[in-house]
Amino acid sequence: MAAAAAEPGARAGLGNASPRPGSPASSPKLGGGGRARLGPGSGLERAGARPPGPATSGHSFRKVTLTKPTFCHLCSDFIWGLAGFLCDVCNFMSHEKCLKHVKAPCASLAPSLVHVPVAHCFGSRGLYRRKFCAVCRKSLEAPALRCEVCELHVHPDCVPFACSDCRQCHRDGHRDHDAHHHHWREGNLPSGARCEVCRKACGSSDVLAGVRCEWCGVQAHSVCSAALAPECTFGRLRTMVLPPACVCLLSRNFSKMHCFRIPESAAPEPGEGDDGPDASAPAGPGREALGPESGKQTLKIFDGNDSLQRNHFRVVTVPRPARSEEVLEAALRAYYIMEDPCDFELQVPPASGQAGGTGAQRKAWSGGTAEEEGGRGAGSREAVPEAWIIRAVPHTQEVLKIYPAWLKVGAAHVSVRVTPQSTARTVVLEVLPMLGRQAEGPESFQLVEVLMGSRQVQRMVLEDKEPLLDRLRDIRQTSLWQMSQTRFYVAESRVVAPRVSLFVAGLPPGLSSQEYSSLLDEAVATKAGLVSMSHVYSLQGAVVLDVACFAEAERLYMLVRDTAVHGRPLTALVLPDVLPKKLPPDCCPLLVFVNPKSGGLKGRDLLCSFRKLLNPHQVFELTNGGPLPGFHVFSQVPCFRVLVCGGDGTVGWVLTALEEMRHRLACPEPSVAILPLGTGNDLGRVLRWGAGYSGEDPFSVLLSVDEADAVLVDRWTILLDAHQASGADGVANVEPPKVVQMSNYCGIGIDAELSLDFHQAREEEPRKFTSRFHNKGVYVRVGLQKISHSRGLHREIRLQVEQQEVELPSIEGLIFINIPSWGSGADLWGSDSDSRFEKPRMDDGLLEVVGVTGVMHMGQVQGGLRSGIRIAQGSYFRVTLHKATPVQVDGEPWVQAPGHMIISAAGPKVHMLRKAKPKPRKAGTPKDARADGGPAPEGDPN
């Protein structure tokens, strides 16, 4: 493979390394990546000269004296003695014996090793104890950030320097391929992690050590990982994961947060804070600010016009009699730049409003010590400028790396010399023969500039006549670190037909396609030639728009989210397309719905966990559009399962949506599992999922879903038909009939009244209802307030069973039960045999009717002292309400106006998943079988 050699007047190109181990492409060894330089102290006393470090990892090691207990970042063992080897840039600490085995790249080199750049999704700041920053490798003691899709943890001021190496979860038209390799993430492993190769402990709670594949979960030492096959099989969850090759989403103008439907944090992004001291970011080995008496000084360092305008600087600490070379090297390390210092200089920041200032403002700091630069004698310290800006020294030519934007090519990149005469077109002409594409016309290719930001990857096609040398200078003038994150790809000039699917909800239900089209045109001015309506969900008041223009899709997305129709705010989501023909034959992906408001707010943590364990495209937040978007995305998947994380009301919500969508699904009867997050969780108890989620490992939950058995459960339809009532003006107010679905039970009277009071209390102060224990305490308090309540419900309602009138005893509550659990696990029907009734089952097509005499009776049932009053059993019921009466269905209460309630079977039974009984563990079976390559237990997909 030919490559242009750099001449004395040329600058080195972007990044000096080959792709990560296991990537499809490799590159010849390049010089400069492992160059080591001695610099100012890092708070650890220098004890000797630096030994030669590993050239491929890019570290700058030096020997230091240890003053506190320290652990090796490679083997995670304690470093005995007083000497260790510290990287001046990324703080990697190592034994001397481990230096030759170091594989983890330095933070200064890591961006150049990324094979396919994928941005991260950083959520809001939080406390992550016993976690370490992936950039500076230090402990996360203060509030930090984590990616919602992968296991990357960083300090807020380290975010701009994080690699854009998140998981690739879909095809987006850029370097797509069907082969899937391990996606390694260093450190922050569980304390009991075992290496897949040597079976020794590879996790550490003291340092950032060990690696883990973020798809299959296999864990290993960084040295041992090279012995594993590069292909990833998705591990134990392979039948449940939606493979990235089966998902397509053209998301050019949308951030990753939009693509994965993740709410964006309201906190300011790092580097975008207010001007002033708060915008500062300590950097470099000496992060602490020291006073004048310490013999050191702190300087503000900017890396270009962008950081200068936003007043976002890095702080470096240098000895007070520091020479300019030491200051410059410290400034470059602060921005993780390990290029030759001779190519840079320090300048005084220009005056405000003159980011590209010249003349006196461009005075460079070169030659002499810091004190000499400020003058001689007393008071010279005040003359040294507080802030400096790093500038690249202009060159007449540079060596630039060009990457091919296609796969199956012999080299990861080739190098070309860029001169003042070089344009994007001439570079393409020079590169094509190097890549073996000289037989193809150069007009079929273009040069693409890619900015690999940690939050967003931006692509821009360069004009044929774009002067490349001027372009490189402009980038460096803006930000030196941005230059290290910028790549140039030669790509085929194929026209990609844009197609973005926008899900719009919150519209009035019951309209036609033409009416929805007119409504949206009036609200957001849709363009007829670019926007078409592919799906209409009239019953739910939602549509799916196909947009044939990226700019128009972005405009509609932002506009719809700020629009209300008939007083209701609209919801807009970007949805991917699932390619069912690419699904493996044994794949039965899991569709996950999470209600983040359930379970004492544990749903938020579960959302993040399931996004990381599975493909985030198969995890949906119910407060953001409901269940409909998930069923729409999976509508063409031939076989899938559903996991609902929430209370009984949430489960009923999803089952109702499934019933309404059944005729549109390629898998009309998916089995549904439950992760109970509510207060009662009666259906979860019956199906063995437990009384409530108490922090179990989400991976174990997924294994239980995979091993669960399918059972049938009856579903019931309740028709609510209120009577006509005369208003104050004498005009009859007709409330239209309403239909609700029921799975567990329906209560009329006292139990619905207690549920309604609890619901209203939670609506008034939702922040107080964050634990299941507190919720039950509120139920008890509400019940005590009603203990002397007497309504005489039997005189206010009439009951017909199978067209036969049934006389009611003296009761305060009437309950129709479908499952043998009511009110957080109580057996309301009882276990005594009765010749008048059949033994109740969840799938017998019958409901049991039970009465309670009041709050005291309900408490006795809860304590197992009594059962309810058995009244009837049947499949068709008609209840007549003479007065407005509280009613609740599956824990969702309201006050029902006088009228009729008709309860009947609701079509086909629903397929639910019942947790399998635990099997005794065999001796010697490893606890963590996450990456088990054996066949997964068979499960009925229906």
Side-chain angles (χ1 to χ4, degrees):
M1 180 61 62
E7 295 186 355
R11 185 198 305 275
L14 301 177
N16 297 313
S18 57
R20 293 183 185 274
S23 62
S26 60
S27 177
K29 179 179 178 182
L30 299 171
R35 181 183 67 252
R37 299 186 302 274
L38 296 179
S42 62
L44 299 173
E45 181 183 351
R46 178 179 171 185
R50 176 203 60 82
T56 56
S57 59
H59 292 286
S60 180
F61 285 113
R62 65 184 176 90
K63 192 174 183 179
V64 295
T65 298
L66 305 178
T67 59
K68 60 182 180 179
T70 308
F71 295 83
C72 177
H73 290 198
L74 179 68
C75 65
S76 71
D77 289 341
F78 184 78
I79 300 179
W80 296 96
L82 299 177
F85 291 85
L86 174 73
C87 176
D88 276 334
V89 180
C90 69
N91 303 308
F92 192 105
M93 180 66 74
S94 173
H95 290 104
E96 183 175 8
K97 64 179 181 180
C98 293
L99 284 177
K100 61 183 177 181
H101 301 295
V102 173
K103 300 292 184 183
C106 181
S108 63
L109 190 67
S112 66
L113 305 184
V114 176
H115 185 214
V116 180
V118 181
H120 293 282
C121 299
F122 293 109
S124 56
R125 299 188 185 190
L127 288 174
Y128 305 106
R129 303 188 184 279
R130 313 298 287 183
K131 299 290 185 181
F132 297 87
C133 176
V135 177
C136 69
R137 311 184 70 90
K138 294 192 174 183
S139 176
L140 300 177
E141 298 174 354
L145 297 171
R146 72 175 178 185
C147 179
E148 298 287 326
V149 177
C150 68
E151 282 293 337
L152 183 80
H153 293 74
V154 290
H155 292 106
D157 62 288
C158 290
V159 169
F161 306 99
C163 287
S164 54
D165 61 347
C166 193
R167 291 192 298 165
Q168 188 177 17
C169 299
H170 58 262
R171 306 166 68 98
D172 62 355
H174 300 285
R175 299 174 72 91
D176 295 329
H177 56 91
D178 293 331
H180 199 81
H181 291 182
H182 288 297
H183 188 276
W184 297 113
R185 177 69 63 200
E186 185 185 11
N188 295 321
L189 273 60
S191 57
R194 293 280 173 179
C195 177
E196 186 72 13
V197 178
C198 66
R199 304 310 303 172
K200 295 181 180 179
C202 60
S204 173
S205 59
D206 300 301
V207 292
L208 195 73
V211 294
R212 171 182 170 274
C213 175
E214 294 186 303
W215 283 108
C216 68
V218 63
Q219 301 165 141
H221 296 101
S222 59
V223 176
C224 296
S225 63
L228 296 171
E231 292 77 17
C232 179
T233 62
F234 297 105
R236 180 63 180 79
L237 303 178
R238 62 184 173 275
T239 60
M240 309 176 73
V241 174
L242 188 62
C246 304
V247 186
C248 180
L249 177 59
L250 302 181
S251 55
R252 191 182 71 177
N253 287 27
F254 294 98
S255 71
K256 289 281 293 298
M257 306 291 278
H258 296 158
C259 295
F260 296 135
R261 305 166 302 279
I262 301 174
E264 297 186 74
S265 171
E269 294 184 3
E272 295 186 359
D274 298 331
D275 292 345
D278 291 341
S280 66
R287 286 177 176 260
E288 66 281 357
L290 302 176
E293 68 279 359
S294 66
K296 297 187 177 182
Q297 61 180 334
T298 58
L299 300 173
K300 297 179 182 178
I301 304 296
F302 299 91
D303 79 325
N305 296 342
D306 183 59
S307 62
L308 193 62
Q309 291 172 357
R310 294 189 298 168
N311 194 33
H312 187 71
F313 52 85
R314 308 278 284 175
V315 176
V316 298
T317 302
V318 295
R320 190 162 293 281
R323 299 195 61 82
S324 60
E325 292 83 0
E326 292 179 300
V327 178
L328 180 57
E329 288 193 3
L332 291 174
R333 284 198 302 269
Y335 283 94
Y336 299 92
I337 298 172
M338 292 300 291
E339 298 181 38
D340 191 346
C342 296
D343 291 333
F344 303 92
E345 65 181 6
L346 290 174
Q347 296 179 2
V348 178
S352 177
Q354 300 178 8
T358 58
Q361 293 296 334
R362 290 192 56 188
K363 173 177 178 280
W365 185 357
S366 58
T369 66
E371 292 188 358
E372 290 171 349
E373 289 293 326
R376 304 285 184 180
S380 62
R381 295 178 181 178
E382 286 73 10
V384 178
E386 180 188 20
W388 293 94
I389 184 170
I390 316 174
R391 292 295 191 192
V393 177
H395 287 265
T396 57
Q397 59 181 352
E398 298 192 21
V399 175
L400 183 65
K401 294 176 181 176
I402 306 295
Y403 293 75
W406 56 84
L407 297 179
K408 300 179 181 178
V409 70
H413 61 260
V414 295
S415 298
V416 296
R417 187 183 304 109
V418 178
T419 65
Q421 292 74 37
S422 299
T423 64
R425 175 52 55 190
T426 61
V427 168
V428 170
L429 290 172
E430 185 177 355
V431 164
L432 288 180
M434 299 180 181
L435 299 174
R437 305 292 290 265
Q438 63 272 17
E440 305 178 46
E443 64 279 356
S444 302
F445 297 88
Q446 58 191 7
L447 196 62
V448 182
E449 177 187 316
V450 179
L451 175 58
M452 306 183 299
S454 60
R455 288 183 179 272
Q456 189 167 9
V457 176
Q458 302 176 7
R459 294 175 172 86
M460 180 179 68
V461 178
L462 298 181
E463 298 289 340
D464 288 346
K465 297 182 180 180
E466 177 85 32
L468 272 189
L469 194 60
D470 292 344
R471 181 60 188 158
L472 296 179
R473 290 173 179 170
D474 290 344
I475 297 175
R476 287 193 176 97
Q477 196 78 0
T478 301
S479 170
L480 290 177
W481 175 249
Q482 179 177 321
M483 188 65 197
S484 65
Q485 291 182 314
T486 302
R487 277 187 189 172
F488 292 87
Y489 286 87
V490 57
E492 297 177 357
S493 304
R494 50 194 178 95
V495 179
V496 178
R499 180 182 174 276
V500 180
S501 294
L502 282 184
F503 175 86
V504 180
L507 298 168
L511 303 184
S512 65
S513 175
Q514 185 62 38
E515 289 173 321
Y516 282 127
S517 180
S518 301
L519 192 62
L520 287 174
D521 185 48
E522 178 183 350
V524 295
T526 56
K527 298 179 180 179
L530 300 176
V531 182
S532 60
M533 199 171 294
S534 61
H535 296 79
V536 177
Y537 299 102
S538 179
L539 191 61
Q540 298 87 357
V543 298
V544 178
L545 305 178
D546 278 351
V547 188
C549 173
F550 289 123
E552 175 66 7
E554 184 181 24
R555 184 189 73 86
L556 285 178
Y557 177 80
M558 303 305 293
L559 192 56
V560 166
R561 295 201 307 172
D562 295 331
T563 301
V565 173
H566 297 174
R568 292 182 59 191
L570 299 182
T571 299
L573 300 175
V574 181
L575 297 184
D577 292 324
V578 176
L579 310 175
K581 293 183 179 180
K582 288 186 171 291
L583 286 170
D586 62 340
C587 183
C588 183
L590 185 68
L591 175 59
V592 181
F593 294 110
V594 181
N595 187 348
K597 295 182 179 180
S598 299
L601 305 181
K602 291 187 178 70
R604 290 288 178 192
D605 293 332
L606 285 171
L607 263 173
C608 188
S609 297
F610 287 137
R611 286 188 183 119
K612 294 176 181 180
L613 291 170
L614 304 170
N615 191 322
H617 285 300
Q618 60 189 109
V619 182
F620 289 80
E621 183 177 344
L622 287 172
T623 56
N624 192 14
L628 186 57
F631 286 124
H632 172 81
V633 170
F634 272 61
S635 60
Q636 300 303 315
V637 178
C639 176
F640 68 93
R641 290 184 172 189
V642 179
L643 172 62
V644 183
C645 307
D648 288 336
T650 301
V651 176
W653 183 13
V654 174
L655 293 179
T656 299
L658 174 60
E659 183 66 29
E660 296 169 349
M661 281 285 294
R662 192 184 300 273
H663 64 286
R664 295 175 181 252
L665 300 178
C667 176
E669 296 180 350
S671 300
V672 181
I674 301 172
L675 182 56
L677 298 182
T679 302
N681 303 313
D682 290 290
L683 188 56
R685 295 169 189 264
V686 172
L687 297 175
R688 298 184 190 146
W689 295 106
Y693 178 71
S694 56
E696 294 85 357
D697 180 19
F699 177 73
S700 301
V701 173
L702 294 179
L703 290 184
S704 297
V705 173
D706 191 41
E707 299 168 354
D709 305 316
V711 296
L712 295 176
V713 176
D714 292 328
R715 286 277 288 169
W716 298 85
T717 296
I718 303 177
L719 174 64
L720 305 170
D721 187 8
H723 289 155
Q724 294 185 1
S726 297
D729 54 359
V731 179
N733 298 324
V734 180
E735 184 177 329
K738 183 171 65 173
V739 176
V740 296
Q741 304 288 330
M742 183 191 84
S743 298
N744 301 353
Y745 42 75
C746 169
I748 304 173
I750 186 62
D751 78 312
E753 190 172 347
L754 297 183
S755 181
L756 183 62
D757 289 347
F758 171 83
H759 179 76
Q760 292 173 345
R762 183 169 58 180
E763 290 294 316
E764 292 175 359
E765 296 180 291
R767 294 185 179 181
K768 292 186 176 181
F769 292 77
T770 57
S771 73
R772 195 174 295 113
F773 181 79
H774 176 269
N775 294 353
K776 291 184 177 181
V778 175
Y779 263 116
V780 172
R781 186 176 71 249
V782 170
L784 292 176
Q785 294 172 352
K786 304 282 185 180
I787 198 167
S788 60
H789 175 82
S790 178
R791 177 173 182 148
L793 182 69
H794 59 285
R795 295 190 295 267
E796 298 179 357
I797 64 173
R798 290 174 51 201
L799 173 65
Q800 289 182 337
V801 181
E802 310 291 0
Q803 308 293 336
Q804 298 293 323
E805 190 83 20
V806 175
E807 184 177 353
L808 296 175
S810 178
I811 57 175
E812 294 296 326
L814 186 68
I815 305 168
F816 300 82
I817 53 177
N818 184 48
I819 59 175
S821 179
W822 167 86
S824 300
D827 186 1
L828 191 59
W829 182 261
S831 57
D832 297 339
S833 59
D834 192 331
S835 59
R836 299 176 300 164
F837 307 109
E838 298 181 17
K839 184 178 180 180
R841 296 201 325 270
M842 294 185 297
D843 60 346
D844 58 2
L846 299 175
L847 281 179
E848 288 70 47
V849 185
V850 184
V852 292
T853 59
V855 173
M856 185 66 71
H857 187 184
M858 293 171 61
Q860 292 171 335
V861 172
Q862 293 278 356
L865 303 177
R866 290 181 61 184
S867 299
I869 302 173
R870 298 179 181 178
I871 295 176
Q873 189 179 50
S875 59
Y876 181 86
F877 307 88
R878 184 184 184 95
V879 181
T880 303
L881 304 179
H882 299 303
K883 294 182 179 180
T885 308
V887 174
Q888 65 105 348
V889 174
D890 292 348
E892 301 299 321
W894 70 92
V895 176
Q896 179 62 29
H900 298 291
M901 293 177 57
I902 299 177
I903 306 175
S904 59
K909 305 176 189 298
V910 65
H911 292 248
M912 302 297 294
L913 288 173
R914 181 169 58 195
K915 187 176 181 180
K917 293 182 178 180
K919 299 177 182 178
R921 184 181 297 274
K922 296 181 180 179
T925 302
K927 183 178 180 180
D928 186 5
R930 169 102 186 250
D932 182 14
E938 294 286 331
D940 186 359
N942 293 323

